[in-house]
Amino acid sequence: SQKIEQNSEALNIQEGKTATLTCNYTNYSPAYLQWYRQDPGRGPVFLLLIRENEKEKRKERLKVTFDTTLKQSLFHITASQPADSATYLCALYPYSSASKIIFGSGTRLSIRP
Amino acid sequence: DAGVTQSPTHLIKTRGQQVTLRCSPKSGHDTVSWYQQALGQGPQFIFQYYEEEERQRGNFPDRFSGHQFPNYSSELNVNALLLGDSALYLCASTSLAGGLYFGPGTRLTVT
């Protein structure tokens, strides 16, 4: 069956360190993959998109990698800050379903001062 | 430039009732998608509207229906509410960059 898996456990990181979040998928052929940030009680906010032919994408302190062989994406936040504390969602845009972006259940990240 | 707006913010309904949620997409966006997000889960795709027609649909029963108006705004209707319909309902419009712009959501509680 098709699955998207993110770290189910919350991730606690010391301020200033690099936070790394994982997104694994099975039985999908994604055209591209996206990462979103969601704060409690609010809608997700789009952060980054990476296409299947791209290995890495960067935006300020954020970096995303996409390995279609491993069927995995890694999301890095460097020099993490308490304001980065939120839930981070990965989402796949599969070739097979043009409009149905499919979300993982998210990883809660806490950055302690 | 207003982003995606949704109304109402919160809603409490009783089992068996019907509910209508509303959404206005970000200016310049013509495609609207609706998602249901249960607590602790990621958003689940309900359906997408483009040019006033339902273009794609997720695994939701016919109790969930929608509409898109000529000004691109949209409504989500849910009939015969069940306790399990309690969730955050998110509307999103599509950007040229490929990401979804989400609204703040409507928190629906069914008692």
Side-chain angles (χ1 to χ4, degrees), chain A residues 70-98:
Chain A
L70 291 178
K71 296 186 184 297
Q72 181 181 79
S73 175
L74 298 178
F75 176 80
H76 306 272
I77 305 176
T78 58
S80 59
Q81 305 166 1
D84 295 327
S85 298
T87 295
Y88 290 86
L89 300 160
C90 77
L92 293 182
Y93 181 108
Y95 278 117
S96 61
S97 304

Side-chain angles (χ1 to χ4, degrees), chain A residues 4-21:
Chain A
I4 303 174
E5 291 182 340
Q6 296 187 249
N7 314 59
S8 57
E9 299 290 326
L11 196 59
N12 294 295
I13 300 291
Q14 180 74 42
E15 181 177 7
K17 302 289 187 185
T18 296
T20 298
L21 283 65

Side-chain angles (χ1 to χ4, degrees), chain A residues 95-113:
Chain A
Y95 278 117
S96 61
S97 304
S99 312
K100 296 183 193 178
I101 297 178
I102 299 156
F103 284 83
S105 57
T107 297
R108 192 187 312 170
L109 175 65
S110 293
I111 310 295
R112 57 181 186 275

Side-chain angles (χ1 to χ4, degrees), chain A residues 32 34 36 38 41-46 49 51 89 93 96-106, chain B residues 33 35 37 40-45 48 55-58 88 90 97-100 102-105 107:
Chain A
Y32 55 79
Q34 305 171 347
Y36 291 79
Q38 187 172 26
R42 307 189 72 166
V45 174
F46 171 64
L49 177 154
R51 301 183 191 282
L89 300 160
Y93 181 108
S96 61
S97 304
S99 312
K100 296 183 193 178
I101 297 178
I102 299 156
F103 284 83
S105 57
Chain B
S33 301
Y35 287 79
Q37 187 175 25
Q41 301 297 315
Q44 298 292 311
F45 176 78
Q48 184 183 79
R55 187 159 74 168
Q56 282 269 349
R57 188 177 182 93
L88 181 67
L90 296 161
L100 293 171
F102 282 93
R107 172 69 61 187

